[in-house]
């Protein structure tokens, strides 16, 4: 309910990147798993938290600060939802084609 106003603008996008796709293809399955690792033992791993902090731009969201903190905590703990984004990344980087998914596509 806090995101109704701006939810339609939330989107995950992949722009083809030949060098990144080639690098991904050179990694072993174990290395690929480490790249997309978000949690270990039920807790968000440090490198994931740091990456999220550098990428998330709260000013783009019109939710209240309180709601954003609450939603951020849920996002960091919601391993099932994160698995969807990890799978989208893997497909996008392996196929190296443009991809854009909005919240309506995920619902």
């Amino acid at each position: 309910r806090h995101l109704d106003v701006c939810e339609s603008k939330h989107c995950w996008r992949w722009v083809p990147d030949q060098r990144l796709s080639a690098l991904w293809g050179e990694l072993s399955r174990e290395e690929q798993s480490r790249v997309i690792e978000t949690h270990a033992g039920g807790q968000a791993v440090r490198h994931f938290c740091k990456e999220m902090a550098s990428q998330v731009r709260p000013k783009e969201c019109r939710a209240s600060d309180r709601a954003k903190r609450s939603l951020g905590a849920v996002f960091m703990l919601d391993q099932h939802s994160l698995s969807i984004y990890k799978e989208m990344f893997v497909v996008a980087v392996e196929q190296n084609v443009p991809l854009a998914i909005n919240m309506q596509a995920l619902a």
Side-chain angles (χ1 to χ4, degrees):
R1 99 181 170 211
H2 295 287
L3 297 178
D4 288 346
V5 176
C6 61
E7 184 179 83
S8 63
K9 296 178 184 171
H10 291 224
C11 183
W12 185 88
R13 295 182 190 127
W14 170 260
V15 177
D17 183 321
Q18 189 60 44
R19 288 177 39 199
L20 182 57
S21 287
L23 173 62
W24 182 259
E26 294 172 8
L27 297 176
S28 68
R29 289 288 179 207
E30 182 179 302
E31 291 169 319
Q32 290 175 352
S33 293
R34 280 198 309 261
V35 167
I36 61 172
E37 179 184 41
T38 59
H39 289 75
Q43 297 291 319
V45 293
R46 185 181 183 106
H47 73 268
F48 173 66
C49 293
K50 289 174 81 172
E51 185 66 24
M52 287 297 296
S54 72
Q55 296 295 323
V56 174
R57 296 179 189 17
K59 66 182 182 268
E60 294 176 1
C61 181
R62 297 180 190 165
S64 68
D65 287 340
R66 182 176 174 202
K68 285 185 269 193
R69 279 192 303 274
S70 175
L71 290 167
V74 168
F75 184 73
M76 294 298 266
L77 297 173
D78 187 357
Q79 295 180 46
H80 175 71
S81 293
L82 286 173
S83 68
I84 295 169
Y85 286 98
K86 289 192 283 188
E87 186 62 27
M88 289 186 313
F89 169 79
V90 170
V91 169
V93 75
E94 286 178 352
Q95 299 296 317
N96 200 34
V97 294
L99 183 63
I101 299 175
N102 64 21
M103 296 305 286
Q104 292 168 342
L106 292 175

